[in-house]
Amino acid sequence: MTQTVLPTAQTPGVYHKRIGEVIVTVLSDGGMQFPWWPFTELSEEDGTSLLESHFEVSPPYFNTNCFLIHIQGRLTLIDTGIGPGIGVFLDNLKAAGIAPEQIDTVLLTHLHADHANGLIYPDGTKVFPNAEVVVAKAEYDYWMDNRNMKNPLDEGEQANFQMAQAALAPYTGSIRTFSGEETEPVAGIKAIAAPGHTPGHTAYSIESAEEQLLIWGDILHNATIQLHRLDETLAMDVIPEQAILSRKHLLEYAATERLLITGMHLPFPGLGHIKKEAGRYVHLPEIWKPNL
Ligand SMILES: [Zn+2]
């Protein structure tokens, strides 16, 4: 009888997608079950019943995805995950055959820890020694100035500011910001302002040879909950009313234009379409294919 070792984890979370001349590699940073407290409107009871009716665990499970864009001979990474030691992004980058030294640009959707903390090792040093870091000016300006805290005595808020500042600290001198008028912060990657979750939260669109992919950042955290309840905000939404408007705007844009979309917290690799059905948006995952 053959003795086999039972698997205890997935094989690497790496998924390639061709968008015209561009290859987008989705790299999983893993995921985690999240507590209920950040949901500001939804009761745990209603949330649990919604999730269970969709065969999901409660509290909700969040994936985190990062995106490596192979474009014009350069490597741009969109978001970095929560950081070495917690997330599995670096393992998956290695599995994709890429070393951190090869990353030319790190483009950020926003500066929350689950997106920017992967810029540094636990000792505060750079993960991407050769990368320029690019982020919306509104985002950079907000998190770099402690005077922007709504409640300076709140330890959670203090931690968010400290983490954003620590993640960028070793890159001083290699940080570039862009503002509203600059629509292409990295060649071939368009920025679409989607503020609210954070003041400079930005979605990115990759358009090549008549194909398009919208990487929308944190427009949805748990798709089941927020597609049923578009007005559901989280405690970490800096400007909640604006976050709702940005969510509705990008969902409508994706549905109307029949766009291929993905996001940082959609189930890996998150690629799919948004369909409007009976007045509600539905996320339809793309079918897996072995070839690009
Ligand atoms: Zn996030």
Side-chain angles (χ1 to χ4, degrees), residues 15-19 21-27 66-79 89 93 98 102-107 186-190 204-208 213-215 262 264 271:
Y15 188 80
H16 303 292
K17 175 74 186 173
R18 177 182 284 280
I19 307 294
E21 306 290 310
V22 177
I23 300 293
V24 175
T25 301
V26 191
L27 297 162
C66 307
F67 300 87
L68 182 63
I69 320 296
H70 309 247
I71 192 165
Q72 299 176 15
R74 294 176 61 81
L75 289 175
T76 294
L77 177 64
I78 304 185
D79 287 359
F89 164 77
L93 184 70
I98 306 288
Q102 290 174 264
I103 304 294
D104 298 297
T105 307
V106 176
L107 181 60
V186 173
I189 304 177
K190 285 187 182 164
Y204 296 104
S205 172
I206 291 150
E207 294 161 38
S208 175
L213 170 66
L214 175 67
I215 300 174
T262 185
M264 277 52 187
L271 293 154

Short mmCIF file of all heavy atoms in Angstrom, two decimals, residues 15-19 21-27 66-79 89 93 98 102-107 186-190 204-208 213-215 262 264 271:
data_model
loop_
_atom_site.label_atom_id
_atom_site.label_comp_id
_atom_site.label_asym_id
_atom_site.label_seq_id
_atom_site.Cartn_x
_atom_site.Cartn_y
_atom_site.Cartn_z
N TYR A 15 -2.47 33.08 -11.05
CA TYR A 15 -3.36 32.92 -12.20
C TYR A 15 -3.04 33.99 -13.23
O TYR A 15 -3.01 35.18 -12.91
CB TYR A 15 -4.83 33.06 -11.76
CG TYR A 15 -5.82 32.73 -12.85
CD1 TYR A 15 -6.14 31.42 -13.15
CD2 TYR A 15 -6.42 33.74 -13.60
CE1 TYR A 15 -7.04 31.11 -14.16
CE2 TYR A 15 -7.33 33.45 -14.61
CZ TYR A 15 -7.63 32.12 -14.88
OH TYR A 15 -8.52 31.82 -15.88
N HIS A 16 -2.76 33.55 -14.45
CA HIS A 16 -2.39 34.48 -15.52
C HIS A 16 -3.60 34.78 -16.40
O HIS A 16 -4.40 33.89 -16.69
CB HIS A 16 -1.30 33.89 -16.40
CG HIS A 16 -0.06 33.50 -15.66
ND1 HIS A 16 0.78 34.42 -15.07
CD2 HIS A 16 0.48 32.28 -15.40
CE1 HIS A 16 1.79 33.78 -14.50
NE2 HIS A 16 1.63 32.48 -14.68
N LYS A 17 -3.67 36.02 -16.85
CA LYS A 17 -4.75 36.41 -17.75
C LYS A 17 -4.17 37.36 -18.80
O LYS A 17 -3.50 38.34 -18.45
CB LYS A 17 -5.85 37.12 -16.95
CG LYS A 17 -6.97 37.69 -17.78
CD LYS A 17 -7.87 36.60 -18.31
CE LYS A 17 -8.91 37.17 -19.26
NZ LYS A 17 -9.69 36.10 -19.92
N ARG A 18 -4.44 37.08 -20.06
CA ARG A 18 -3.97 37.98 -21.12
C ARG A 18 -5.02 39.04 -21.41
O ARG A 18 -6.20 38.72 -21.60
CB ARG A 18 -3.68 37.18 -22.40
CG ARG A 18 -3.26 38.04 -23.57
CD ARG A 18 -3.02 37.22 -24.83
NE ARG A 18 -1.77 36.50 -24.78
CZ ARG A 18 -0.56 37.04 -25.04
NH1 ARG A 18 -0.49 38.33 -25.37
NH2 ARG A 18 0.53 36.34 -24.98
N ILE A 19 -4.57 40.29 -21.41
CA ILE A 19 -5.43 41.40 -21.81
C ILE A 19 -4.74 42.07 -23.00
O ILE A 19 -3.83 42.89 -22.81
CB ILE A 19 -5.63 42.43 -20.66
CG1 ILE A 19 -6.12 41.76 -19.37
CG2 ILE A 19 -6.57 43.57 -21.09
CD1 ILE A 19 -7.50 41.16 -19.43
N GLU A 21 -2.06 42.85 -25.32
CA GLU A 21 -0.61 42.61 -25.31
C GLU A 21 -0.07 42.47 -23.89
O GLU A 21 1.14 42.30 -23.69
CB GLU A 21 0.12 43.80 -25.96
CG GLU A 21 -0.35 44.16 -27.36
CD GLU A 21 0.05 43.09 -28.37
OE1 GLU A 21 1.23 42.70 -28.38
OE2 GLU A 21 -0.84 42.64 -29.11
N VAL A 22 -0.93 42.59 -22.91
CA VAL A 22 -0.50 42.65 -21.51
C VAL A 22 -0.84 41.32 -20.82
O VAL A 22 -1.90 40.75 -21.07
CB VAL A 22 -1.23 43.80 -20.79
CG1 VAL A 22 -0.87 43.86 -19.31
CG2 VAL A 22 -0.93 45.13 -21.47
N ILE A 23 0.08 40.86 -19.96
CA ILE A 23 -0.26 39.71 -19.12
C ILE A 23 -0.45 40.22 -17.69
O ILE A 23 0.40 40.93 -17.15
CB ILE A 23 0.86 38.63 -19.12
CG1 ILE A 23 1.11 38.10 -20.53
CG2 ILE A 23 0.51 37.50 -18.15
CD1 ILE A 23 -0.02 37.31 -21.14
N VAL A 24 -1.58 39.86 -17.12
CA VAL A 24 -1.88 40.19 -15.72
C VAL A 24 -1.78 38.89 -14.93
O VAL A 24 -2.42 37.90 -15.28
CB VAL A 24 -3.29 40.78 -15.59
CG1 VAL A 24 -3.65 41.01 -14.11
CG2 VAL A 24 -3.39 42.09 -16.38
N THR A 25 -0.93 38.89 -13.91
CA THR A 25 -0.81 37.70 -13.06
C THR A 25 -1.44 38.02 -11.71
O THR A 25 -0.99 38.93 -11.00
CB THR A 25 0.68 37.32 -12.88
OG1 THR A 25 1.24 37.06 -14.17
CG2 THR A 25 0.80 36.07 -12.02
N VAL A 26 -2.49 37.29 -11.39
CA VAL A 26 -3.13 37.48 -10.09
C VAL A 26 -2.36 36.62 -9.09
O VAL A 26 -2.13 35.43 -9.33
CB VAL A 26 -4.61 37.04 -10.11
CG1 VAL A 26 -5.31 37.49 -8.82
CG2 VAL A 26 -5.34 37.58 -11.34
N LEU A 27 -1.93 37.23 -8.00
CA LEU A 27 -1.17 36.54 -6.96
C LEU A 27 -1.95 36.64 -5.65
O LEU A 27 -2.23 37.74 -5.17
CB LEU A 27 0.20 37.20 -6.80
CG LEU A 27 1.10 37.13 -8.04
CD1 LEU A 27 2.21 38.15 -7.96
CD2 LEU A 27 1.66 35.73 -8.22
N CYS A 66 -3.30 40.35 -5.15
CA CYS A 66 -2.40 41.37 -5.68
C CYS A 66 -2.26 41.08 -7.17
O CYS A 66 -2.52 39.96 -7.61
CB CYS A 66 -1.03 41.31 -5.01
SG CYS A 66 -1.12 41.36 -3.20
N PHE A 67 -1.83 42.07 -7.93
CA PHE A 67 -1.83 41.92 -9.40
C PHE A 67 -0.49 42.36 -9.95
O PHE A 67 -0.06 43.50 -9.73
CB PHE A 67 -2.96 42.74 -10.01
CG PHE A 67 -4.31 42.30 -9.51
CD1 PHE A 67 -4.84 42.82 -8.34
CD2 PHE A 67 -5.02 41.31 -10.18
CE1 PHE A 67 -6.07 42.37 -7.84
CE2 PHE A 67 -6.24 40.86 -9.70
CZ PHE A 67 -6.77 41.39 -8.53
N LEU A 68 0.15 41.45 -10.66
CA LEU A 68 1.43 41.76 -11.30
C LEU A 68 1.16 41.99 -12.78
O LEU A 68 0.62 41.11 -13.46
CB LEU A 68 2.40 40.59 -11.10
CG LEU A 68 3.79 40.78 -11.66
CD1 LEU A 68 4.51 41.93 -10.96
CD2 LEU A 68 4.60 39.48 -11.49
N ILE A 69 1.53 43.18 -13.26
CA ILE A 69 1.22 43.55 -14.64
C ILE A 69 2.50 43.53 -15.46
O ILE A 69 3.43 44.30 -15.19
CB ILE A 69 0.59 44.98 -14.70
CG1 ILE A 69 -0.41 45.20 -13.54
CG2 ILE A 69 -0.06 45.21 -16.06
CD1 ILE A 69 -1.62 44.33 -13.53
N HIS A 70 2.53 42.64 -16.43
CA HIS A 70 3.67 42.54 -17.34
C HIS A 70 3.31 43.43 -18.53
O HIS A 70 2.49 43.06 -19.37
CB HIS A 70 3.88 41.12 -17.84
CG HIS A 70 3.94 40.07 -16.76
ND1 HIS A 70 5.08 39.36 -16.47
CD2 HIS A 70 2.99 39.60 -15.92
CE1 HIS A 70 4.83 38.50 -15.50
NE2 HIS A 70 3.57 38.62 -15.15
N ILE A 71 3.90 44.61 -18.56
CA ILE A 71 3.48 45.57 -19.58
C ILE A 71 4.69 46.31 -20.14
O ILE A 71 5.52 46.80 -19.36
CB ILE A 71 2.42 46.54 -18.98
CG1 ILE A 71 1.75 47.36 -20.06
CG2 ILE A 71 2.99 47.44 -17.92
CD1 ILE A 71 0.48 48.04 -19.56
N GLN A 72 4.80 46.34 -21.42
CA GLN A 72 5.88 47.05 -22.11
C GLN A 72 7.25 46.71 -21.53
O GLN A 72 8.10 47.58 -21.32
CB GLN A 72 5.62 48.57 -22.05
CG GLN A 72 4.31 48.95 -22.75
CD GLN A 72 3.96 50.43 -22.62
OE1 GLN A 72 4.80 51.24 -22.25
NE2 GLN A 72 2.73 50.76 -22.95
N GLY A 73 7.49 45.43 -21.25
CA GLY A 73 8.79 44.98 -20.77
C GLY A 73 9.09 45.32 -19.33
O GLY A 73 10.21 45.11 -18.85
N ARG A 74 8.10 45.84 -18.61
CA ARG A 74 8.32 46.20 -17.21
C ARG A 74 7.33 45.47 -16.32
O ARG A 74 6.27 45.03 -16.78
CB ARG A 74 8.15 47.72 -17.03
CG ARG A 74 9.22 48.54 -17.74
CD ARG A 74 8.95 50.02 -17.60
NE ARG A 74 8.97 50.49 -16.22
CZ ARG A 74 10.07 50.76 -15.53
NH1 ARG A 74 11.25 50.62 -16.09
NH2 ARG A 74 9.99 51.19 -14.29
N LEU A 75 7.68 45.37 -15.03
CA LEU A 75 6.80 44.69 -14.07
C LEU A 75 6.25 45.70 -13.08
O LEU A 75 7.00 46.33 -12.33
CB LEU A 75 7.59 43.61 -13.32
CG LEU A 75 7.98 42.37 -14.11
CD1 LEU A 75 8.86 41.45 -13.26
CD2 LEU A 75 6.74 41.61 -14.58
N THR A 76 4.94 45.85 -13.11
CA THR A 76 4.28 46.72 -12.15
C THR A 76 3.40 45.87 -11.26
O THR A 76 2.60 45.06 -11.75
CB THR A 76 3.40 47.77 -12.87
OG1 THR A 76 4.25 48.63 -13.61
CG2 THR A 76 2.60 48.60 -11.87
N LEU A 77 3.56 46.03 -9.97
CA LEU A 77 2.76 45.30 -9.00
C LEU A 77 1.68 46.24 -8.47
O LEU A 77 1.99 47.35 -8.03
CB LEU A 77 3.67 44.84 -7.86
CG LEU A 77 3.02 44.11 -6.70
CD1 LEU A 77 2.41 42.79 -7.16
CD2 LEU A 77 4.06 43.86 -5.61
N ILE A 78 0.41 45.82 -8.56
CA ILE A 78 -0.66 46.62 -7.98
C ILE A 78 -1.03 45.98 -6.64
O ILE A 78 -1.58 44.89 -6.59
CB ILE A 78 -1.88 46.72 -8.91
CG1 ILE A 78 -1.46 47.28 -10.28
CG2 ILE A 78 -2.97 47.60 -8.28
CD1 ILE A 78 -2.62 47.54 -11.24
N ASP A 79 -0.67 46.66 -5.58
CA ASP A 79 -0.86 46.27 -4.18
C ASP A 79 0.05 45.11 -3.78
O ASP A 79 0.49 44.32 -4.60
CB ASP A 79 -2.32 45.99 -3.84
CG ASP A 79 -3.15 47.29 -3.77
OD1 ASP A 79 -2.56 48.38 -3.96
OD2 ASP A 79 -4.36 47.20 -3.54
N PHE A 89 1.72 36.35 -0.17
CA PHE A 89 2.02 36.96 -1.46
C PHE A 89 3.42 36.61 -1.96
O PHE A 89 3.61 36.23 -3.12
CB PHE A 89 1.85 38.49 -1.39
CG PHE A 89 2.51 39.19 -2.54
CD1 PHE A 89 1.91 39.20 -3.78
CD2 PHE A 89 3.76 39.80 -2.41
CE1 PHE A 89 2.54 39.79 -4.87
CE2 PHE A 89 4.38 40.40 -3.48
CZ PHE A 89 3.76 40.39 -4.72
N LEU A 93 4.57 35.00 -5.41
CA LEU A 93 5.42 35.72 -6.38
C LEU A 93 6.57 34.80 -6.82
O LEU A 93 6.87 34.68 -8.00
CB LEU A 93 5.96 37.00 -5.73
CG LEU A 93 6.79 37.90 -6.64
CD1 LEU A 93 5.92 38.57 -7.69
CD2 LEU A 93 7.54 38.97 -5.82
N ILE A 98 9.15 35.07 -10.14
CA ILE A 98 9.59 36.47 -10.08
C ILE A 98 10.20 36.74 -8.70
O ILE A 98 9.65 36.33 -7.67
CB ILE A 98 8.38 37.43 -10.28
CG1 ILE A 98 7.62 37.12 -11.58
CG2 ILE A 98 8.82 38.89 -10.22
CD1 ILE A 98 8.32 37.49 -12.85
N GLN A 102 12.96 42.21 -9.03
CA GLN A 102 12.59 42.46 -10.43
C GLN A 102 11.43 43.44 -10.59
O GLN A 102 11.13 43.88 -11.70
CB GLN A 102 12.20 41.13 -11.11
CG GLN A 102 13.35 40.19 -11.32
CD GLN A 102 12.85 38.84 -11.85
OE1 GLN A 102 12.64 37.90 -11.11
NE2 GLN A 102 12.63 38.76 -13.14
N ILE A 103 10.77 43.78 -9.49
CA ILE A 103 9.60 44.66 -9.59
C ILE A 103 10.08 46.09 -9.84
O ILE A 103 10.85 46.65 -9.06
CB ILE A 103 8.75 44.62 -8.29
CG1 ILE A 103 8.31 43.17 -7.98
CG2 ILE A 103 7.55 45.56 -8.39
CD1 ILE A 103 7.37 42.54 -8.96
N ASP A 104 9.62 46.69 -10.94
CA ASP A 104 10.03 48.06 -11.29
C ASP A 104 9.18 49.11 -10.57
O ASP A 104 9.66 50.17 -10.20
CB ASP A 104 9.86 48.27 -12.81
CG ASP A 104 10.75 47.34 -13.61
OD1 ASP A 104 11.98 47.46 -13.48
OD2 ASP A 104 10.22 46.50 -14.36
N THR A 105 7.88 48.81 -10.47
CA THR A 105 6.94 49.80 -9.92
C THR A 105 5.94 49.10 -9.00
O THR A 105 5.44 48.03 -9.34
CB THR A 105 6.15 50.47 -11.06
OG1 THR A 105 7.07 50.98 -12.04
CG2 THR A 105 5.28 51.61 -10.55
N VAL A 106 5.68 49.71 -7.87
CA VAL A 106 4.55 49.27 -7.04
C VAL A 106 3.51 50.38 -7.10
O VAL A 106 3.77 51.52 -6.69
CB VAL A 106 4.96 48.99 -5.58
CG1 VAL A 106 3.72 48.62 -4.75
CG2 VAL A 106 6.00 47.89 -5.49
N LEU A 107 2.36 50.04 -7.66
CA LEU A 107 1.26 51.00 -7.79
C LEU A 107 0.22 50.59 -6.75
O LEU A 107 -0.14 49.41 -6.67
CB LEU A 107 0.71 50.86 -9.22
CG LEU A 107 -0.42 51.76 -9.67
CD1 LEU A 107 -0.04 53.22 -9.60
CD2 LEU A 107 -0.80 51.40 -11.13
N VAL A 186 1.16 55.00 -14.62
CA VAL A 186 2.18 54.09 -15.14
C VAL A 186 1.77 53.82 -16.59
O VAL A 186 0.58 53.62 -16.87
CB VAL A 186 2.21 52.78 -14.32
CG1 VAL A 186 3.14 51.75 -14.96
CG2 VAL A 186 2.62 53.04 -12.87
N ALA A 187 2.74 53.83 -17.51
CA ALA A 187 2.42 53.65 -18.93
C ALA A 187 1.57 52.40 -19.14
O ALA A 187 1.93 51.31 -18.70
CB ALA A 187 3.72 53.55 -19.73
N GLY A 188 0.42 52.59 -19.76
CA GLY A 188 -0.46 51.46 -20.05
C GLY A 188 -1.48 51.16 -18.96
O GLY A 188 -2.32 50.28 -19.13
N ILE A 189 -1.40 51.86 -17.83
CA ILE A 189 -2.34 51.61 -16.73
C ILE A 189 -3.04 52.92 -16.38
O ILE A 189 -2.41 53.88 -15.94
CB ILE A 189 -1.62 51.04 -15.48
CG1 ILE A 189 -0.84 49.76 -15.85
CG2 ILE A 189 -2.64 50.75 -14.37
CD1 ILE A 189 -0.03 49.16 -14.71
N LYS A 190 -4.35 52.95 -16.59
CA LYS A 190 -5.12 54.17 -16.32
C LYS A 190 -5.65 54.17 -14.89
O LYS A 190 -6.05 53.13 -14.37
CB LYS A 190 -6.32 54.24 -17.27
CG LYS A 190 -5.94 54.63 -18.68
CD LYS A 190 -7.18 54.86 -19.52
CE LYS A 190 -6.79 55.20 -20.95
NZ LYS A 190 -7.90 55.05 -21.88
N TYR A 204 -7.80 50.81 -11.17
CA TYR A 204 -6.92 50.88 -12.34
C TYR A 204 -7.50 50.06 -13.49
O TYR A 204 -8.08 49.00 -13.27
CB TYR A 204 -5.51 50.38 -11.97
CG TYR A 204 -4.85 51.27 -10.95
CD1 TYR A 204 -4.74 50.87 -9.62
CD2 TYR A 204 -4.38 52.53 -11.30
CE1 TYR A 204 -4.16 51.71 -8.66
CE2 TYR A 204 -3.79 53.37 -10.36
CZ TYR A 204 -3.69 52.96 -9.04
OH TYR A 204 -3.13 53.79 -8.11
N SER A 205 -7.32 50.61 -14.69
CA SER A 205 -7.85 49.96 -15.88
C SER A 205 -6.70 49.67 -16.84
O SER A 205 -5.87 50.54 -17.11
CB SER A 205 -8.88 50.89 -16.54
OG SER A 205 -9.27 50.36 -17.78
N ILE A 206 -6.67 48.44 -17.30
CA ILE A 206 -5.66 48.04 -18.27
C ILE A 206 -6.36 47.82 -19.59
O ILE A 206 -7.31 47.04 -19.68
CB ILE A 206 -4.94 46.77 -17.78
CG1 ILE A 206 -4.10 47.16 -16.55
CG2 ILE A 206 -4.04 46.19 -18.86
CD1 ILE A 206 -3.92 46.09 -15.59
N GLU A 207 -5.94 48.57 -20.58
CA GLU A 207 -6.59 48.50 -21.90
C GLU A 207 -5.53 48.22 -22.94
O GLU A 207 -4.53 48.93 -23.02
CB GLU A 207 -7.30 49.83 -22.19
CG GLU A 207 -8.47 50.06 -21.24
CD GLU A 207 -8.92 51.51 -21.16
OE1 GLU A 207 -8.93 52.19 -22.20
OE2 GLU A 207 -9.23 51.96 -20.04
N SER A 208 -5.73 47.16 -23.71
CA SER A 208 -4.74 46.80 -24.72
C SER A 208 -5.43 46.02 -25.83
O SER A 208 -6.17 45.06 -25.55
CB SER A 208 -3.64 45.95 -24.07
OG SER A 208 -2.74 45.49 -25.05
N LEU A 213 -9.37 45.32 -18.67
CA LEU A 213 -9.59 44.74 -17.34
C LEU A 213 -9.64 45.88 -16.34
O LEU A 213 -8.74 46.72 -16.29
CB LEU A 213 -8.45 43.78 -16.96
CG LEU A 213 -8.46 43.29 -15.50
CD1 LEU A 213 -9.68 42.42 -15.21
CD2 LEU A 213 -7.18 42.52 -15.17
N LEU A 214 -10.69 45.91 -15.54
CA LEU A 214 -10.81 46.90 -14.46
C LEU A 214 -10.45 46.22 -13.14
O LEU A 214 -11.08 45.24 -12.75
CB LEU A 214 -12.25 47.44 -14.40
CG LEU A 214 -12.56 48.40 -13.25
CD1 LEU A 214 -11.79 49.70 -13.39
CD2 LEU A 214 -14.06 48.67 -13.17
N ILE A 215 -9.41 46.76 -12.49
CA ILE A 215 -9.00 46.26 -11.17
C ILE A 215 -9.49 47.29 -10.17
O ILE A 215 -8.93 48.38 -10.07
CB ILE A 215 -7.46 46.09 -11.10
CG1 ILE A 215 -6.99 45.08 -12.16
CG2 ILE A 215 -7.03 45.63 -9.71
CD1 ILE A 215 -5.47 44.94 -12.26
N THR A 262 -11.91 42.70 -11.73
CA THR A 262 -11.45 41.92 -10.60
C THR A 262 -11.20 42.89 -9.45
O THR A 262 -11.26 44.11 -9.65
CB THR A 262 -10.19 41.08 -10.93
OG1 THR A 262 -9.87 40.25 -9.80
CG2 THR A 262 -8.99 41.95 -11.28
N MET A 264 -9.46 43.34 -5.13
CA MET A 264 -8.51 42.83 -4.14
C MET A 264 -9.14 41.84 -3.18
O MET A 264 -8.44 41.02 -2.60
CB MET A 264 -7.92 44.03 -3.36
CG MET A 264 -6.77 44.71 -4.07
SD MET A 264 -7.11 45.21 -5.79
CE MET A 264 -5.51 45.74 -6.31
N LEU A 271 -11.56 37.31 -11.21
CA LEU A 271 -11.94 37.78 -12.55
C LEU A 271 -13.38 37.39 -12.86
O LEU A 271 -13.80 36.26 -12.60
CB LEU A 271 -11.00 37.14 -13.60
CG LEU A 271 -9.55 37.62 -13.52
CD1 LEU A 271 -8.61 36.56 -14.07
CD2 LEU A 271 -9.38 38.94 -14.26
#
